[in-house]
Amino acid sequence: MKVLRNIPFAIDPEPLMQRLRIECDSDDHRDFLDLLRLTSQSANPKAIYTEAYVEPGEGDKVRIGDVVFTSATLKMNLASVGRVFPYVATCGHEMDQIFDAKDDFLKEFWWDNIKAELLKAACAYLNNHLESTFHLGKSTAMSPGSGDATVWPIEQQSLLFSLLGDVSAQIGVQLTPSFLMIPNKTISGIKFAAEKDFRTCQLCHRENCPTRSAPFNQQLWDSIQHD
């Protein structure tokens, strides 16, 4: 298991302000820059990962390390993969401690977007670290709960966490009883080398999803047995 702390980040305010429709030289502009200064002083995005090996199981089961997962899609994607990298990356629990919007919904919205930028920095740093350390080449990832509910059930989030030890103690990420993660701008998954590009969005029927990165693929859906 490897922990990556104090991940460097740089948030460019201009494109973020444009996306959030904050006008320059306005009161909102000044308040937003105050939040960015607070972020630069205290934020600490992090990631944790481990190296594990894959063994096929019966039916839709696949063993990763000493943990057995059940997902036809995961098993299909790992059919020719010997080694994977379970991970959790986060904006950092400090972001939930250093600022309280106090029912100011606009600032809460801004803060959430700043946290998303930190998560992007953590993911990029983790990906670069894995590439430089393990020379993965072309790779992709799957996350519990991403895509339709049957693709890789979110309930298996706890199994993924078990591969990484005490995630809360190491990087401050907590798993709720409903298998969501705190801080909210946190992502977990399994990264692996792949010849073909795969995105879980290809197996998601949800229309108009704001975070969709690929269109639904009916042919891919039909090639996998879903209950």
Side-chain angles (χ1 to χ4, degrees), residues 87-126:
Y87 69 89
V88 175
T90 180
C91 68
H93 63 280
E94 294 83 0
M95 295 295 285
D96 287 347
Q97 299 171 348
I98 61 177
F99 176 73
D100 184 354
K102 296 180 180 178
D103 298 324
D104 188 326
F105 297 110
L106 183 58
K107 287 185 179 179
E108 184 178 6
F109 175 65
W110 294 346
W111 194 244
D112 211 48
N113 276 267
I114 292 172
K115 289 165 67 176
E117 293 298 308
L118 295 174
L119 176 57
K120 288 180 186 177
C123 290
Y125 189 87
L126 172 63

Side-chain angles (χ1 to χ4, degrees), residues 206 208-212:
R206 181 183 173 191
N208 303 318
C209 177
T211 59
R212 180 176 286 279

Side-chain angles (χ1 to χ4, degrees), residues 135-163:
H135 308 289
L136 291 182
K138 188 174 181 180
S139 62
T140 190
M142 281 188 65
S143 299
S146 182
D148 278 18
T150 58
V151 173
W152 190 10
I154 195 171
E155 290 80 5
Q156 296 185 41
Q157 187 86 274
S158 58
L159 296 176
L160 176 58
F161 268 53
S162 72
L163 287 169

Side-chain angles (χ1 to χ4, degrees), residues 197-215:
D197 184 35
F198 172 82
R199 302 182 190 183
T200 316
C201 292
Q202 295 171 293
L203 298 175
C204 179
H205 285 86
R206 181 183 173 191
E207 297 181 0
N208 303 318
C209 177
T211 59
R212 180 176 286 279
S213 62

Side-chain angles (χ1 to χ4, degrees), residues 57-68:
E58 295 182 357
D60 293 343
K61 298 185 183 301
V62 57
R63 179 183 293 274
I64 298 175
D66 58 357
V67 175
V68 176

Side-chain angles (χ1 to χ4, degrees), residues 6-63:
N6 300 309
I7 292 174
F9 63 90
I11 300 176
D12 186 351
E14 297 303 324
L16 190 52
M17 285 174 52
Q18 290 179 8
R19 192 167 78 237
L20 298 175
R21 299 182 179 179
I22 298 174
E23 295 184 3
C24 291
D25 299 322
S26 64
D27 289 340
D28 284 350
H29 182 196
R30 287 182 283 274
D31 289 344
F32 183 72
L33 291 181
D34 285 342
L35 293 182
L36 287 182
R37 279 190 285 270
L38 183 61
T39 299
S40 66
Q41 293 167 2
S42 304
N44 185 5
K46 309 172 188 69
I48 185 172
Y49 75 90
T50 191
E51 182 181 11
Y53 292 89
V54 179
E55 295 180 17
E58 295 182 357
D60 293 343
K61 298 185 183 301
V62 57
R63 179 183 293 274

